[in-house]
Amino acid sequence: MTDSLPTPTPVAAPTAAATARARRRDRRVYTRSHPVLFGLLAATRRRPVARIGGAVLVHGTEPYRQALARVPLDRTAAGTTGGAARELSVGGALFDQEGAGHRDARRAVAEDLGAAGVERLRPVWREVLARRTAPLAAGHTVDLVPLARELAGATVRALLGTTAPSEHIAEAAACAAAAAVRDHLPGPRPPGAARAAAAAAARLEELLATADPGDRAEPALRAMLAVAAVNTTVAALPRAVAWCADARLWGQAADDRLRPVLVGELLRVIAPSPLLPRVAAADAELDGCPVRAGDRLILVARHAARAHSDPPDAHRPAPPGEARLVFGAGSHACPGARLALAQLDDLLAVLAPYRPTVVRARVDRGAALPGWRSLAIRAARLSPEDR
Ligand code: HEM
């Protein structure tokens, strides 16, 4: 007689109704914070590239990739991510750099954010996850926004070797980004916005200062890393979990083989940095549309990654190159992608046994990136026997 291996239980694909519920809730982070902009982008998205006055809206997957990887960009122009980075800090860092300066700065961060660097940081966020999700076992609710803030702050703290409290780092990084982003968006600029942004950035640099004279990272680079890491993480983790819960994807999240694929799919569909504002530095062409030097390019990551049309499903994922577009493309593509994927993977692994549902959600209208101000979840299963 031969022993046969147990057949794995098939993990269900999401139903249309559950997907619609997830999409409906997630859309609120856009419609409650920037309804006009969201409407304009939705109205123009059928065309891969659309010109509106001096702005070129780029929705198509290939034109988006080309705009980032092939079109020369003015990385210091006002109203771009690089321009905001430069305004925020005395020297600017990464986002606004080109050539040798950019290569050197990237090399400095690449090591810390590579495979070994991520494993070194992993115990830091795992401790936050274990402590902050423990109340679920007793039937209590857990708000994922403060959890994500502490997780991101603690990771940055360990990454940069500083001693400032995690919560302070997260708060200062959020303030600096929110103040800077008001520059990007259409509409009147609130009085004192530039001063507020500079003050927030100075506070962040102060918090991140280290006593180590041999520290390689410049203050501006440390501040930019904190801004880039904290704001994306705080936006991404709660939105991804809400989608997973609403679309009933916990079966896929509980499966060690499917979870890494699901992580990429969830990040694709929530596209935490949905718009990349850039400025062309030379004449070019995108999908037949002429682009002139000085044109403003609005690169819509959300549409390029087909977040609006193709729901996440680990059984039928988008091609990896497409999902990855939410992290940008070319020489400036996000160096923190591996870290972000690992953090969401760990969060889903911790939550999956509880099959949590969303019990309360409030949009953050003032944040730099679309996201929740509060996202409370509660376990649908409590005892291990239920699992
Ligand atoms: C889900 C989370 C994240 C998303 C969606 C995301 C997305 C992006 C995007 C779209 C860019 C611009 C890429 C381009 O211009 O082609 C970027 C750049 C960058 N990101 Fe991320 N990011 C995330 C997490 C992180 C984390 C955790 C860190 C650091 C620990 C980080 C650090 C950076 C840095 C330093 C840059 C500038 C790179 C350069 O200009 O060379 N990001 N990110």
Side-chain angles (χ1 to χ4, degrees), residues 218-254:
E218 296 293 326
L221 178 55
R222 284 202 291 269
M224 279 324 300
L225 271 171
V227 167
V230 166
N231 291 287
T232 48
T233 307
V234 173
L237 295 184
R239 282 181 67 196
V241 171
W243 192 298
C244 189
D246 289 339
R248 307 271 193 271
L249 288 167
W250 289 121
Q252 297 190 1

PDB file of all heavy atoms in Angstrom, residues 218-254:
ATOM      1  N   GLU A 218      23.799  61.509   3.121  1.00  0.00           N
ATOM      2  CA  GLU A 218      23.629  62.932   3.383  1.00  0.00           C
ATOM      3  C   GLU A 218      22.283  63.155   4.061  1.00  0.00           C
ATOM      4  O   GLU A 218      21.362  62.365   3.853  1.00  0.00           O
ATOM      5  CB  GLU A 218      23.594  63.682   2.046  1.00  0.00           C
ATOM      6  CG  GLU A 218      24.868  63.617   1.246  1.00  0.00           C
ATOM      7  CD  GLU A 218      25.987  64.356   1.956  1.00  0.00           C
ATOM      8  OE1 GLU A 218      25.699  65.363   2.616  1.00  0.00           O
ATOM      9  OE2 GLU A 218      27.129  63.898   1.855  1.00  0.00           O
ATOM     10  N   PRO A 219      22.153  64.284   4.818  1.00  0.00           N
ATOM     11  CA  PRO A 219      20.847  64.558   5.445  1.00  0.00           C
ATOM     12  C   PRO A 219      19.707  64.573   4.438  1.00  0.00           C
ATOM     13  O   PRO A 219      18.631  64.034   4.686  1.00  0.00           O
ATOM     14  CB  PRO A 219      21.037  65.940   6.075  1.00  0.00           C
ATOM     15  CG  PRO A 219      22.501  66.112   6.212  1.00  0.00           C
ATOM     16  CD  PRO A 219      23.171  65.268   5.177  1.00  0.00           C
ATOM     17  N   ALA A 220      19.946  65.187   3.260  1.00  0.00           N
ATOM     18  CA  ALA A 220      18.869  65.275   2.267  1.00  0.00           C
ATOM     19  C   ALA A 220      18.474  63.884   1.769  1.00  0.00           C
ATOM     20  O   ALA A 220      17.300  63.600   1.568  1.00  0.00           O
ATOM     21  CB  ALA A 220      19.305  66.141   1.093  1.00  0.00           C
ATOM     22  N   LEU A 221      19.457  63.021   1.596  1.00  0.00           N
ATOM     23  CA  LEU A 221      19.170  61.664   1.119  1.00  0.00           C
ATOM     24  C   LEU A 221      18.392  60.889   2.187  1.00  0.00           C
ATOM     25  O   LEU A 221      17.425  60.180   1.876  1.00  0.00           O
ATOM     26  CB  LEU A 221      20.483  60.948   0.782  1.00  0.00           C
ATOM     27  CG  LEU A 221      20.358  59.497   0.321  1.00  0.00           C
ATOM     28  CD1 LEU A 221      19.415  59.373  -0.864  1.00  0.00           C
ATOM     29  CD2 LEU A 221      21.731  58.936  -0.050  1.00  0.00           C
ATOM     30  N   ARG A 222      18.796  61.075   3.443  1.00  0.00           N
ATOM     31  CA  ARG A 222      18.063  60.381   4.520  1.00  0.00           C
ATOM     32  C   ARG A 222      16.616  60.839   4.552  1.00  0.00           C
ATOM     33  O   ARG A 222      15.696  60.036   4.690  1.00  0.00           O
ATOM     34  CB  ARG A 222      18.737  60.650   5.868  1.00  0.00           C
ATOM     35  CG  ARG A 222      20.021  59.855   6.084  1.00  0.00           C
ATOM     36  CD  ARG A 222      20.321  59.732   7.559  1.00  0.00           C
ATOM     37  NE  ARG A 222      20.704  61.022   8.114  1.00  0.00           N
ATOM     38  CZ  ARG A 222      21.958  61.456   8.172  1.00  0.00           C
ATOM     39  NH1 ARG A 222      22.930  60.695   7.714  1.00  0.00           N
ATOM     40  NH2 ARG A 222      22.233  62.623   8.679  1.00  0.00           N
ATOM     41  N   ALA A 223      16.416  62.156   4.430  1.00  0.00           N
ATOM     42  CA  ALA A 223      15.041  62.686   4.480  1.00  0.00           C
ATOM     43  C   ALA A 223      14.217  62.153   3.303  1.00  0.00           C
ATOM     44  O   ALA A 223      13.055  61.765   3.470  1.00  0.00           O
ATOM     45  CB  ALA A 223      15.065  64.211   4.472  1.00  0.00           C
ATOM     46  N   MET A 224      14.826  62.106   2.115  1.00  0.00           N
ATOM     47  CA  MET A 224      14.077  61.625   0.954  1.00  0.00           C
ATOM     48  C   MET A 224      13.713  60.151   1.096  1.00  0.00           C
ATOM     49  O   MET A 224      12.626  59.732   0.720  1.00  0.00           O
ATOM     50  CB  MET A 224      14.891  61.820  -0.333  1.00  0.00           C
ATOM     51  CG  MET A 224      14.842  63.206  -0.910  1.00  0.00           C
ATOM     52  SD  MET A 224      13.248  64.011  -0.711  1.00  0.00           S
ATOM     53  CE  MET A 224      12.176  62.898  -1.584  1.00  0.00           C
ATOM     54  N   LEU A 225      14.642  59.376   1.632  1.00  0.00           N
ATOM     55  CA  LEU A 225      14.337  57.956   1.835  1.00  0.00           C
ATOM     56  C   LEU A 225      13.156  57.801   2.790  1.00  0.00           C
ATOM     57  O   LEU A 225      12.256  56.992   2.564  1.00  0.00           O
ATOM     58  CB  LEU A 225      15.554  57.237   2.424  1.00  0.00           C
ATOM     59  CG  LEU A 225      16.541  56.671   1.421  1.00  0.00           C
ATOM     60  CD1 LEU A 225      17.804  56.195   2.118  1.00  0.00           C
ATOM     61  CD2 LEU A 225      15.900  55.498   0.672  1.00  0.00           C
ATOM     62  N   ALA A 226      13.177  58.600   3.853  1.00  0.00           N
ATOM     63  CA  ALA A 226      12.087  58.515   4.840  1.00  0.00           C
ATOM     64  C   ALA A 226      10.761  58.910   4.206  1.00  0.00           C
ATOM     65  O   ALA A 226       9.741  58.237   4.384  1.00  0.00           O
ATOM     66  CB  ALA A 226      12.405  59.404   6.040  1.00  0.00           C
ATOM     67  N   VAL A 227      10.768  59.994   3.431  1.00  0.00           N
ATOM     68  CA  VAL A 227       9.530  60.457   2.785  1.00  0.00           C
ATOM     69  C   VAL A 227       9.014  59.386   1.821  1.00  0.00           C
ATOM     70  O   VAL A 227       7.837  59.035   1.814  1.00  0.00           O
ATOM     71  CB  VAL A 227       9.769  61.800   2.050  1.00  0.00           C
ATOM     72  CG1 VAL A 227       8.619  62.126   1.118  1.00  0.00           C
ATOM     73  CG2 VAL A 227       9.948  62.926   3.070  1.00  0.00           C
ATOM     74  N   ALA A 228       9.939  58.849   1.005  1.00  0.00           N
ATOM     75  CA  ALA A 228       9.531  57.855  -0.002  1.00  0.00           C
ATOM     76  C   ALA A 228       9.009  56.588   0.661  1.00  0.00           C
ATOM     77  O   ALA A 228       8.017  56.003   0.218  1.00  0.00           O
ATOM     78  CB  ALA A 228      10.710  57.525  -0.917  1.00  0.00           C
ATOM     79  N   ALA A 229       9.656  56.164   1.738  1.00  0.00           N
ATOM     80  CA  ALA A 229       9.270  54.892   2.367  1.00  0.00           C
ATOM     81  C   ALA A 229       7.992  55.029   3.193  1.00  0.00           C
ATOM     82  O   ALA A 229       7.074  54.212   3.067  1.00  0.00           O
ATOM     83  CB  ALA A 229      10.408  54.386   3.254  1.00  0.00           C
ATOM     84  N   VAL A 230       7.916  56.061   4.008  1.00  0.00           N
ATOM     85  CA  VAL A 230       6.788  56.171   4.940  1.00  0.00           C
ATOM     86  C   VAL A 230       5.467  56.400   4.199  1.00  0.00           C
ATOM     87  O   VAL A 230       4.474  55.712   4.444  1.00  0.00           O
ATOM     88  CB  VAL A 230       7.033  57.315   5.960  1.00  0.00           C
ATOM     89  CG1 VAL A 230       5.745  57.672   6.705  1.00  0.00           C
ATOM     90  CG2 VAL A 230       8.138  56.932   6.922  1.00  0.00           C
ATOM     91  N   ASN A 231       5.463  57.341   3.275  1.00  0.00           N
ATOM     92  CA  ASN A 231       4.181  57.707   2.664  1.00  0.00           C
ATOM     93  C   ASN A 231       3.600  56.602   1.795  1.00  0.00           C
ATOM     94  O   ASN A 231       2.397  56.360   1.810  1.00  0.00           O
ATOM     95  CB  ASN A 231       4.334  59.026   1.902  1.00  0.00           C
ATOM     96  CG  ASN A 231       4.555  60.163   2.875  1.00  0.00           C
ATOM     97  OD1 ASN A 231       3.634  60.583   3.561  1.00  0.00           O
ATOM     98  ND2 ASN A 231       5.789  60.613   2.998  1.00  0.00           N
ATOM     99  N   THR A 232       4.467  55.901   1.073  1.00  0.00           N
ATOM    100  CA  THR A 232       3.961  54.805   0.246  1.00  0.00           C
ATOM    101  C   THR A 232       3.466  53.654   1.132  1.00  0.00           C
ATOM    102  O   THR A 232       2.416  53.068   0.874  1.00  0.00           O
ATOM    103  CB  THR A 232       5.061  54.282  -0.697  1.00  0.00           C
ATOM    104  OG1 THR A 232       6.253  54.078   0.060  1.00  0.00           O
ATOM    105  CG2 THR A 232       5.331  55.251  -1.826  1.00  0.00           C
ATOM    106  N   THR A 233       4.221  53.361   2.193  1.00  0.00           N
ATOM    107  CA  THR A 233       3.837  52.230   3.052  1.00  0.00           C
ATOM    108  C   THR A 233       2.518  52.511   3.774  1.00  0.00           C
ATOM    109  O   THR A 233       1.642  51.641   3.844  1.00  0.00           O
ATOM    110  CB  THR A 233       4.948  51.966   4.100  1.00  0.00           C
ATOM    111  OG1 THR A 233       6.185  51.814   3.409  1.00  0.00           O
ATOM    112  CG2 THR A 233       4.671  50.739   4.921  1.00  0.00           C
ATOM    113  N   VAL A 234       2.391  53.734   4.295  1.00  0.00           N
ATOM    114  CA  VAL A 234       1.177  54.064   5.054  1.00  0.00           C
ATOM    115  C   VAL A 234      -0.047  54.098   4.136  1.00  0.00           C
ATOM    116  O   VAL A 234      -1.153  53.751   4.538  1.00  0.00           O
ATOM    117  CB  VAL A 234       1.373  55.400   5.827  1.00  0.00           C
ATOM    118  CG1 VAL A 234       0.078  55.860   6.476  1.00  0.00           C
ATOM    119  CG2 VAL A 234       2.467  55.232   6.872  1.00  0.00           C
ATOM    120  N   ALA A 235       0.170  54.485   2.882  1.00  0.00           N
ATOM    121  CA  ALA A 235      -0.946  54.444   1.930  1.00  0.00           C
ATOM    122  C   ALA A 235      -1.233  53.000   1.514  1.00  0.00           C
ATOM    123  O   ALA A 235      -2.389  52.582   1.428  1.00  0.00           O
ATOM    124  CB  ALA A 235      -0.615  55.285   0.699  1.00  0.00           C
ATOM    125  N   ALA A 236      -0.164  52.237   1.246  1.00  0.00           N
ATOM    126  CA  ALA A 236      -0.339  50.936   0.594  1.00  0.00           C
ATOM    127  C   ALA A 236      -0.889  49.845   1.503  1.00  0.00           C
ATOM    128  O   ALA A 236      -1.821  49.113   1.110  1.00  0.00           O
ATOM    129  CB  ALA A 236       1.002  50.470   0.012  1.00  0.00           C
ATOM    130  N   LEU A 237      -0.318  49.681   2.684  1.00  0.00           N
ATOM    131  CA  LEU A 237      -0.687  48.492   3.472  1.00  0.00           C
ATOM    132  C   LEU A 237      -2.179  48.454   3.830  1.00  0.00           C
ATOM    133  O   LEU A 237      -2.842  47.434   3.577  1.00  0.00           O
ATOM    134  CB  LEU A 237       0.193  48.391   4.726  1.00  0.00           C
ATOM    135  CG  LEU A 237       1.699  48.159   4.488  1.00  0.00           C
ATOM    136  CD1 LEU A 237       2.450  47.986   5.818  1.00  0.00           C
ATOM    137  CD2 LEU A 237       1.956  46.956   3.592  1.00  0.00           C
ATOM    138  N   PRO A 238      -2.746  49.541   4.372  1.00  0.00           N
ATOM    139  CA  PRO A 238      -4.189  49.462   4.699  1.00  0.00           C
ATOM    140  C   PRO A 238      -5.064  49.270   3.462  1.00  0.00           C
ATOM    141  O   PRO A 238      -6.035  48.509   3.500  1.00  0.00           O
ATOM    142  CB  PRO A 238      -4.474  50.802   5.387  1.00  0.00           C
ATOM    143  CG  PRO A 238      -3.135  51.272   5.893  1.00  0.00           C
ATOM    144  CD  PRO A 238      -2.151  50.797   4.870  1.00  0.00           C
ATOM    145  N   ARG A 239      -4.712  49.939   2.346  1.00  0.00           N
ATOM    146  CA  ARG A 239      -5.544  49.774   1.135  1.00  0.00           C
ATOM    147  C   ARG A 239      -5.473  48.336   0.637  1.00  0.00           C
ATOM    148  O   ARG A 239      -6.481  47.768   0.207  1.00  0.00           O
ATOM    149  CB  ARG A 239      -5.064  50.726   0.031  1.00  0.00           C
ATOM    150  CG  ARG A 239      -5.515  52.166   0.219  1.00  0.00           C
ATOM    151  CD  ARG A 239      -5.022  53.038  -0.931  1.00  0.00           C
ATOM    152  NE  ARG A 239      -5.641  52.705  -2.206  1.00  0.00           N
ATOM    153  CZ  ARG A 239      -5.158  53.097  -3.378  1.00  0.00           C
ATOM    154  NH1 ARG A 239      -4.047  53.813  -3.444  1.00  0.00           N
ATOM    155  NH2 ARG A 239      -5.785  52.770  -4.479  1.00  0.00           N
ATOM    156  N   ALA A 240      -4.283  47.748   0.663  1.00  0.00           N
ATOM    157  CA  ALA A 240      -4.134  46.367   0.165  1.00  0.00           C
ATOM    158  C   ALA A 240      -4.927  45.397   1.035  1.00  0.00           C
ATOM    159  O   ALA A 240      -5.595  44.487   0.519  1.00  0.00           O
ATOM    160  CB  ALA A 240      -2.654  45.985   0.141  1.00  0.00           C
ATOM    161  N   VAL A 241      -4.881  45.592   2.342  1.00  0.00           N
ATOM    162  CA  VAL A 241      -5.619  44.683   3.231  1.00  0.00           C
ATOM    163  C   VAL A 241      -7.123  44.865   3.044  1.00  0.00           C
ATOM    164  O   VAL A 241      -7.880  43.882   3.011  1.00  0.00           O
ATOM    165  CB  VAL A 241      -5.215  44.906   4.710  1.00  0.00           C
ATOM    166  CG1 VAL A 241      -6.130  44.126   5.645  1.00  0.00           C
ATOM    167  CG2 VAL A 241      -3.756  44.509   4.919  1.00  0.00           C
ATOM    168  N   ALA A 242      -7.557  46.114   2.895  1.00  0.00           N
ATOM    169  CA  ALA A 242      -8.997  46.349   2.692  1.00  0.00           C
ATOM    170  C   ALA A 242      -9.463  45.633   1.431  1.00  0.00           C
ATOM    171  O   ALA A 242     -10.524  44.985   1.417  1.00  0.00           O
ATOM    172  CB  ALA A 242      -9.279  47.847   2.593  1.00  0.00           C
ATOM    173  N   TRP A 243      -8.663  45.727   0.363  1.00  0.00           N
ATOM    174  CA  TRP A 243      -9.050  45.057  -0.894  1.00  0.00           C
ATOM    175  C   TRP A 243      -9.107  43.540  -0.681  1.00  0.00           C
ATOM    176  O   TRP A 243     -10.051  42.857  -1.090  1.00  0.00           O
ATOM    177  CB  TRP A 243      -8.080  45.411  -2.022  1.00  0.00           C
ATOM    178  CG  TRP A 243      -8.615  44.978  -3.355  1.00  0.00           C
ATOM    179  CD1 TRP A 243      -8.901  43.697  -3.738  1.00  0.00           C
ATOM    180  CD2 TRP A 243      -9.000  45.807  -4.451  1.00  0.00           C
ATOM    181  NE1 TRP A 243      -9.423  43.674  -5.008  1.00  0.00           N
ATOM    182  CE2 TRP A 243      -9.491  44.950  -5.471  1.00  0.00           C
ATOM    183  CE3 TRP A 243      -8.952  47.183  -4.680  1.00  0.00           C
ATOM    184  CZ2 TRP A 243      -9.944  45.448  -6.702  1.00  0.00           C
ATOM    185  CZ3 TRP A 243      -9.403  47.664  -5.907  1.00  0.00           C
ATOM    186  CH2 TRP A 243      -9.899  46.794  -6.895  1.00  0.00           C
ATOM    187  N   CYS A 244      -8.092  43.023  -0.012  1.00  0.00           N
ATOM    188  CA  CYS A 244      -8.010  41.575   0.231  1.00  0.00           C
ATOM    189  C   CYS A 244      -9.240  41.098   1.027  1.00  0.00           C
ATOM    190  O   CYS A 244      -9.843  40.066   0.720  1.00  0.00           O
ATOM    191  CB  CYS A 244      -6.719  41.309   1.008  1.00  0.00           C
ATOM    192  SG  CYS A 244      -6.314  39.587   1.163  1.00  0.00           S
ATOM    193  N   ALA A 245      -9.614  41.893   2.041  1.00  0.00           N
ATOM    194  CA  ALA A 245     -10.751  41.519   2.888  1.00  0.00           C
ATOM    195  C   ALA A 245     -12.064  41.620   2.109  1.00  0.00           C
ATOM    196  O   ALA A 245     -12.883  40.695   2.124  1.00  0.00           O
ATOM    197  CB  ALA A 245     -10.791  42.420   4.123  1.00  0.00           C
ATOM    198  N   ASP A 246     -12.260  42.736   1.399  1.00  0.00           N
ATOM    199  CA  ASP A 246     -13.521  42.947   0.685  1.00  0.00           C
ATOM    200  C   ASP A 246     -13.703  41.957  -0.466  1.00  0.00           C
ATOM    201  O   ASP A 246     -14.814  41.526  -0.753  1.00  0.00           O
ATOM    202  CB  ASP A 246     -13.587  44.378   0.128  1.00  0.00           C
ATOM    203  CG  ASP A 246     -13.774  45.416   1.225  1.00  0.00           C
ATOM    204  OD1 ASP A 246     -14.235  45.043   2.324  1.00  0.00           O
ATOM    205  OD2 ASP A 246     -13.450  46.596   0.998  1.00  0.00           O
ATOM    206  N   ALA A 247     -12.581  41.618  -1.120  1.00  0.00           N
ATOM    207  CA  ALA A 247     -12.675  40.707  -2.273  1.00  0.00           C
ATOM    208  C   ALA A 247     -12.597  39.248  -1.843  1.00  0.00           C
ATOM    209  O   ALA A 247     -12.560  38.358  -2.691  1.00  0.00           O
ATOM    210  CB  ALA A 247     -11.568  41.024  -3.278  1.00  0.00           C
ATOM    211  N   ARG A 248     -12.560  39.029  -0.518  1.00  0.00           N
ATOM    212  CA  ARG A 248     -12.502  37.651   0.020  1.00  0.00           C
ATOM    213  C   ARG A 248     -11.310  36.877  -0.555  1.00  0.00           C
ATOM    214  O   ARG A 248     -11.468  35.768  -1.083  1.00  0.00           O
ATOM    215  CB  ARG A 248     -13.786  36.876  -0.314  1.00  0.00           C
ATOM    216  CG  ARG A 248     -15.062  37.575   0.101  1.00  0.00           C
ATOM    217  CD  ARG A 248     -15.438  37.184   1.527  1.00  0.00           C
ATOM    218  NE  ARG A 248     -16.797  37.581   1.838  1.00  0.00           N
ATOM    219  CZ  ARG A 248     -17.121  38.781   2.359  1.00  0.00           C
ATOM    220  NH1 ARG A 248     -16.200  39.687   2.586  1.00  0.00           N
ATOM    221  NH2 ARG A 248     -18.381  39.043   2.668  1.00  0.00           N
ATOM    222  N   LEU A 249     -10.154  37.488  -0.443  1.00  0.00           N
ATOM    223  CA  LEU A 249      -8.949  36.847  -0.993  1.00  0.00           C
ATOM    224  C   LEU A 249      -8.099  36.182   0.078  1.00  0.00           C
ATOM    225  O   LEU A 249      -6.931  35.863  -0.157  1.00  0.00           O
ATOM    226  CB  LEU A 249      -8.114  37.893  -1.763  1.00  0.00           C
ATOM    227  CG  LEU A 249      -8.709  38.348  -3.099  1.00  0.00           C
ATOM    228  CD1 LEU A 249      -7.986  39.592  -3.618  1.00  0.00           C
ATOM    229  CD2 LEU A 249      -8.640  37.235  -4.127  1.00  0.00           C
ATOM    230  N   TRP A 250      -8.661  35.975   1.262  1.00  0.00           N
ATOM    231  CA  TRP A 250      -7.835  35.432   2.352  1.00  0.00           C
ATOM    232  C   TRP A 250      -7.354  34.010   2.066  1.00  0.00           C
ATOM    233  O   TRP A 250      -6.307  33.597   2.568  1.00  0.00           O
ATOM    234  CB  TRP A 250      -8.582  35.499   3.690  1.00  0.00           C
ATOM    235  CG  TRP A 250      -8.724  36.910   4.190  1.00  0.00           C
ATOM    236  CD1 TRP A 250      -9.862  37.582   4.461  1.00  0.00           C
ATOM    237  CD2 TRP A 250      -7.653  37.844   4.456  1.00  0.00           C
ATOM    238  NE1 TRP A 250      -9.599  38.868   4.873  1.00  0.00           N
ATOM    239  CE2 TRP A 250      -8.253  39.052   4.881  1.00  0.00           C
ATOM    240  CE3 TRP A 250      -6.264  37.785   4.364  1.00  0.00           C
ATOM    241  CZ2 TRP A 250      -7.505  40.179   5.225  1.00  0.00           C
ATOM    242  CZ3 TRP A 250      -5.512  38.906   4.705  1.00  0.00           C
ATOM    243  CH2 TRP A 250      -6.140  40.076   5.129  1.00  0.00           C
ATOM    244  N   GLY A 251      -8.103  33.270   1.259  1.00  0.00           N
ATOM    245  CA  GLY A 251      -7.643  31.918   0.893  1.00  0.00           C
ATOM    246  C   GLY A 251      -6.320  32.000   0.135  1.00  0.00           C
ATOM    247  O   GLY A 251      -5.386  31.240   0.392  1.00  0.00           O
ATOM    248  N   GLN A 252      -6.238  32.951  -0.801  1.00  0.00           N
ATOM    249  CA  GLN A 252      -4.988  33.132  -1.556  1.00  0.00           C
ATOM    250  C   GLN A 252      -3.881  33.660  -0.639  1.00  0.00           C
ATOM    251  O   GLN A 252      -2.716  33.255  -0.762  1.00  0.00           O
ATOM    252  CB  GLN A 252      -5.207  34.106  -2.721  1.00  0.00           C
ATOM    253  CG  GLN A 252      -6.209  33.586  -3.753  1.00  0.00           C
ATOM    254  CD  GLN A 252      -6.253  34.430  -5.037  1.00  0.00           C
ATOM    255  OE1 GLN A 252      -5.534  35.407  -5.194  1.00  0.00           O
ATOM    256  NE2 GLN A 252      -7.114  34.034  -5.956  1.00  0.00           N
ATOM    257  N   ALA A 253      -4.248  34.538   0.288  1.00  0.00           N
ATOM    258  CA  ALA A 253      -3.233  35.111   1.200  1.00  0.00           C
ATOM    259  C   ALA A 253      -2.673  34.056   2.146  1.00  0.00           C
ATOM    260  O   ALA A 253      -1.524  34.151   2.590  1.00  0.00           O
ATOM    261  CB  ALA A 253      -3.844  36.263   1.991  1.00  0.00           C
ATOM    262  N   ALA A 254      -3.477  33.046   2.463  1.00  0.00           N
ATOM    263  CA  ALA A 254      -3.036  32.003   3.413  1.00  0.00           C
ATOM    264  C   ALA A 254      -2.130  30.974   2.741  1.00  0.00           C
ATOM    265  O   ALA A 254      -1.452  30.202   3.411  1.00  0.00           O
ATOM    266  CB  ALA A 254      -4.260  31.303   4.008  1.00  0.00           C
TER     267      ALA A 254
END
